[in-house]
Amino acid sequence: MAGADPNILRELEAKRLEFSEVDLPRFQTGFPPQHLLLTLLGDFWSGRREPVPSAALVAWLAEFDVNEAGARAAIGRLAKRGNLDVVREGRNTSYRVADRLVELLPYGSLHTQSFGYSRTGWNGQWTMVAFSIADDTRRVRLQLRSALELLGYAALYDGVWVSPYPPNDRLQATLNSHAEVSCTVIVGPVDAIVSPASAWDLVPLRALDDRFISTFAPVRKQMRSGSISDRDALVARIQVAYRWFVIATVDPDLPAELLPSDWPRNAARDIFVDLYDELGPRAEARVREIVQRFAPQLSERVTHNRTARETSR
C-alpha cells in the first residue's frame, strides 16, 4: 500500500491541533447528529461560504432518521458553539460554516482520507520528552499531557513521553507555551527495561478497527451486490467517514514495525476507501436532490471529496 504524502501529513498534523482549539461536539458512540452534520458539510459543502437553508440541513439529517426536533436542536447547538453562523433573510433562516471552521472542515475529510496508510521504513529513533512539574501545579501537568497526546506522544513514565516520529515545530511550540515547565527533548534509540512501544495500549485501538470492520464489511458486500439505494449510499458514506475520522483522531498511527503482524488497520482502511469512493457519486446526487428542493440555485455547487486512490486514477 502506498504511503501518504509527507507534506500532507505535516499539514494535517498542524490542522489536527487547530481542531483541538475549536469547540467541537465530543465524540460519542453511535452517530450523533451534530457530527453527522459537520461531516456532511465537510464532505459535500467543502470550503463554501454560501449559507444553506435550515430546511435543507434538517432534510439532510432526516436521511439518518433524525427527526425535525432533533435536527433543529443539533443545528442550534452547533451555532451556539460557534461552528455555524446564522443568516436571516426576512422569514428565512440559513446557516453557513463559521469562518474559523471553513478552512478546517476540508482537512477533517483530508485527514480521514490520508489516515491508515502503512508507515514502513521506521529508523528506530525515538523522541523522548522528559519533564518535571511540581505537585501543586496539577492544572499545568494536565494541560501539557493533553497537548502531547494531541501530538501523538504517549507516557512511558509519568514524566517521560515518547513518540516514534522526529520532533517538529509543533512540539517546540507546545513546549514554549509551557515555559514554566522544565523539559528535555532527546532523540535516539532507546535501550531500556521497558520498551517505549508499551506506552500505547493497543487493545482499545485494535477494538476500534475490529468494530469498524464488523460494522461496515456487510455494507460493502451490499454495495457490491448492487442492492443499495442513493439514500443508503449517502447514509453509508457519511457514517463510514465519521467513524474512520474518530479512529484517525484517537489513533497515533504508529509505524508498521511497532504493530503486530496481524494488525487489522489495512483491512479496515480498504473497507473505508471502497465505500467512501464508490458511494461518492450516488451520495452526491442524493445531497444535490435535497438541496434542489429548498435552494435550486445552490444544488449544482454540491461536490464530494475523494481519497488519494480515487484521484490518482
Side-chain angles (χ1 to χ4, degrees):
M1 184 179 291
D5 186 329
N7 293 323
I8 291 179
L9 292 174
R10 282 194 291 270
E11 196 168 359
L12 287 173
E13 180 184 288
K15 293 299 179 182
R16 182 186 186 192
L17 291 178
E18 290 183 44
F19 266 115
S20 70
E21 299 168 2
V22 176
D23 184 18
L24 294 175
R26 64 185 179 86
F27 293 132
Q28 304 174 37
T29 57
F31 302 98
Q34 290 183 69
H35 277 294
L36 289 175
L37 186 53
L38 288 177
T39 306
L40 281 158
L41 289 166
D43 195 349
F44 301 105
W45 209 243
S46 180
R48 304 213 69 90
R49 301 301 295 122
E50 300 92 334
V52 180
S54 60
L57 300 181
V58 170
W60 282 359
L61 288 175
E63 301 290 278
F64 301 84
D65 296 322
V66 179
N67 61 32
E68 182 175 353
R72 294 197 180 280
I75 295 168
R77 291 189 184 106
L78 287 174
K80 187 175 181 179
R81 290 176 182 274
N83 301 152
L84 298 178
D85 292 334
V86 184
V87 179
R88 292 188 173 89
E89 296 181 5
R91 301 178 64 179
N92 299 319
T93 301
S94 299
Y95 292 85
R96 68 174 165 222
V97 177
D99 289 341
R100 63 179 181 171
L101 261 186
V102 71
E103 294 299 328
L104 288 180
L105 276 184
Y107 279 91
S109 296
L110 187 56
H111 187 185
T112 299
Q113 297 157 27
S114 300
F115 172 76
Y117 283 106
S118 294
R119 294 197 184 197
T120 57
W122 179 56
N123 61 8
Q125 301 287 298
W126 292 92
T127 298
M128 290 163 285
V129 178
F131 57 86
S132 176
I133 304 177
D135 292 338
D136 59 351
T137 54
R138 182 173 179 272
R139 180 182 59 82
V140 175
R141 178 187 298 273
L142 292 175
Q143 288 177 346
L144 180 56
R145 288 168 64 98
S146 296
L148 290 172
E149 284 179 353
L150 286 170
L151 287 170
Y153 285 73
L156 182 59
Y157 305 106
D158 185 47
V160 179
W161 285 59
V162 295
S163 168
Y165 299 116
N168 53 30
D169 292 342
R170 301 301 298 188
L171 174 63
Q172 190 59 54
T174 295
L175 299 182
N176 290 344
S177 68
H178 294 81
E180 71 275 32
V181 180
S182 175
C183 294
T184 301
V185 178
I186 303 170
V187 179
V190 176
D191 183 13
I193 296 175
V194 178
S195 167
S198 67
W200 287 271
D201 184 356
L202 298 183
V203 173
L205 297 180
R206 180 188 286 273
L208 285 174
D209 284 344
D210 287 342
R211 182 180 179 187
F212 184 91
I213 292 169
S214 65
T215 299
F216 293 108
V219 180
R220 180 170 65 175
K221 184 176 180 180
Q222 180 187 9
M223 177 190 70
R224 288 176 170 174
S225 72
S227 58
I228 192 166
S229 66
D230 285 356
R231 177 182 183 275
D232 289 342
L234 170 60
V235 171
R237 178 177 160 102
I238 292 301
Q239 288 183 342
V240 79
Y242 169 64
R243 187 58 61 199
W244 192 246
F245 180 66
V246 171
I247 295 176
T249 302
V250 302
D251 191 300
D253 205 11
L254 297 172
E257 290 85 354
L258 296 176
L259 297 170
S261 60
D262 63 345
W263 195 249
R265 178 60 39 74
N266 286 350
R269 179 175 171 79
D270 286 345
I271 291 173
F272 161 70
V273 171
D274 287 347
L275 286 172
Y276 192 79
D277 283 341
E278 293 181 37
L279 295 177
R282 296 182 64 182
E284 179 187 309
R286 182 66 174 180
V287 172
R288 183 178 291 116
E289 176 187 334
I290 294 171
V291 174
Q292 176 72 27
R293 297 182 215 157
F294 305 98
Q297 74 280 9
L298 297 179
S299 62
E300 292 305 314
R301 299 177 189 180
V302 175
T303 58
H304 71 277
N305 293 311
R306 299 167 178 82
T307 69
R309 184 185 74 176
E310 179 70 12
T311 55
S312 65
R313 288 178 178 176

